[in-house]
Amino acid sequence: MTRRHLLSAADLTRADAEEILTTAASMHDIQHREVKKLPTLRGRTVINLFFEDSTRTRTSFELAGKWMSADTINISAKGSSASKGESLRDTVLTVDAMSVDAFIIRHSASGACHQVAGWVDASVINAGDGTHEHPTQALLDAYTMQQRIGSLEGRHIAIVGDLTHSRVFRSNLILLRTLGARLTVVAPPTLLPSGIGAWSARDGFTVSSDLDAVLSGDDVPDAVMMLRVQKERMSGGYFPTAREYAVGYGMTAARYRALSAANPDVAILHPGPMNRGLEISPEAADSPHSVILDQVSAGVAVRMAVLYHLLAADTTEVAV
Ligand code: NCD
């Protein structure tokens, strides 16, 4: 894979994605070692530039860089000159002028990472841009599912929840199709992105607003990904009450019991952070079918693999 940026899941061919997932598997072994250090990115500088809150993504990118010996620096909007009114362009040009090798960027504006990629010499990795994309999340979700249920070719995966505001949904839709999975997406009509009818017809996925129908019948999903209700991105009322959302679209305890009886091997995912009791019940989140903490663990390995392929794949012999 010879690529400088990772801005969208669409940047990845099937061969690229499979290469990253294979590398991630070897990186994952390192996570279980007592001494977690590889020399791979020695002398490289990686900047985590986060304009939106994050626990998992920022920590895992930081660990990924550190475990490969890169110098990793975190810059957040609070505490940087962005809070004094500096533009995104001036902020990244300032840091780029210090000769850094990669920017990992999270921003509330869809398209922000594409813009930055046009301004800087460094590699740019999209760690979530508005409601647009989050490609490393999709990679770690695919990795986690493969570990639990095997190859994704022909497998049925359901993505459920606040599709309108979800960059995780958009990146997963692209990557999972690239990897050969069959997809059903489920949301209340008010949280289906506009134009999804034409989009699903073009890209060949199924859209539903009937969660119980999708989770039963003769094509029970192999994996079900629950998405967070993104209240911070909602400007109005998208559903009457939290209770009604949970009853219609949450992975309630009753729904979890029915699903795990219908498919005892089902994997339940959630990218986090979870609204327990809203989109997912504790019974489902803490169940043996839940791979939510496996997703977190995979996040470090997958991000190590992405950094490796973007920054070091051609020069490892020199670095080691
Ligand atoms: C997601 C995000 O920030 O897009 N979280 C994450 O990266 N693990 C999903 C979300 O915020 O709901």
Side-chain angles (χ1 to χ4, degrees):
M1 192 183 128
T2 49
R3 203 172 291 287
R4 191 152 70 93
H5 307 300
L6 178 57
L7 304 174
S8 160
D11 293 345
L12 301 171
T13 62
R14 185 164 181 162
D16 291 337
E18 283 171 351
E19 207 178 323
I20 291 173
L21 296 174
T22 304
T23 308
S26 34
M27 297 300 184
H28 215 170
D29 292 340
I30 290 159
Q31 250 168 280
H32 304 297
R33 288 190 197 163
E34 200 177 336
V35 178
K36 301 175 184 64
K37 210 64 165 179
L38 291 178
T40 325
L41 295 182
R42 201 164 49 200
R44 308 296 175 95
T45 306
V46 177
I47 307 289
N48 261 336
L49 191 54
F50 276 58
F51 293 91
E52 263 190 10
D53 296 343
S54 172
T55 302
R56 282 149 276 265
T57 307
R58 197 174 75 169
T59 309
S60 59
F61 264 117
E62 185 176 354
L63 284 178
K66 290 198 157 130
W67 289 352
M68 291 197 294
S69 304
D71 293 306
T72 312
I73 288 173
N74 290 317
I75 302 177
S76 55
K78 285 184 223 93
S80 76
S81 292
S83 65
K84 298 181 186 169
E86 186 173 64
S87 69
L88 173 63
R89 186 165 187 273
D90 285 331
T91 301
V92 295
L93 288 180
T94 300
V95 180
D96 198 44
M98 300 178 200
S99 300
V100 303
D101 296 290
F103 283 100
I104 294 152
I105 298 184
R106 170 167 287 193
H107 199 281
S108 58
S110 301
C113 302
H114 283 80
Q115 281 198 297
V116 172
W119 295 329
V120 299
D121 292 328
S123 289
V124 177
I125 300 174
N126 182 355
D129 63 328
T131 59
H132 180 227
E133 279 219 45
H134 193 355
T136 59
Q137 178 71 40
L139 282 163
L140 75 87
D141 292 338
Y143 179 90
T144 307
M145 283 187 267
Q146 278 186 353
Q147 295 275 308
R148 182 58 78 101
I149 63 170
S151 166
L152 301 184
E153 180 67 49
R155 307 303 286 276
H156 182 201
I157 297 164
I159 305 180
V160 183
D162 180 359
L163 302 178
T164 291
H165 302 100
S166 179
R167 52 199 180 202
V168 175
F169 153 61
R170 284 174 182 75
S171 286
N172 262 293
L173 187 65
I174 297 168
L175 185 73
L176 290 173
R177 289 185 58 249
T178 301
L179 293 172
R182 292 181 298 119
L183 288 163
T184 301
V185 303
V186 188
T190 49
L191 287 171
L192 287 171
S194 63
I196 197 156
W199 181 10
S200 60
R202 191 194 63 207
D203 287 356
F205 61 92
T206 306
V207 182
S208 172
S209 288
D210 185 345
L211 180 56
D212 290 314
V214 170
L215 300 185
S216 59
D218 51 14
D219 193 17
V220 177
D222 298 294
V224 180
M225 183 182 298
M226 305 307 296
L227 296 174
R228 184 172 66 89
V229 174
Q230 304 205 7
K231 294 193 196 107
E232 77 280 14
R233 295 191 210 279
M234 293 184 182
S235 49
Y238 285 82
F239 46 86
T241 62
R243 171 102 193 109
E244 275 168 88
Y245 182 89
V247 167
Y249 295 95
M251 184 58 74
T252 56
R255 221 169 243 136
Y256 162 67
R257 279 194 294 273
L259 172 63
S260 54
N263 177 3
D265 297 322
V266 72
I268 298 176
L269 295 93
H270 191 304
M274 291 184 273
N275 294 305
R276 280 176 183 260
L278 184 54
E279 71 265 359
I280 191 163
S281 61
E283 288 83 353
D286 304 328
S287 72
H289 296 91
S290 164
V291 290
I292 295 169
L293 292 177
D294 303 279
Q295 290 172 272
V296 177
S297 167
V300 185
V302 162
R303 286 167 177 134
M304 288 172 84
V306 167
L307 286 172
Y308 170 78
H309 282 287
L310 293 184
L311 299 182
D314 301 335
T315 54
T316 354
E317 290 78 28
V318 184
V320 180

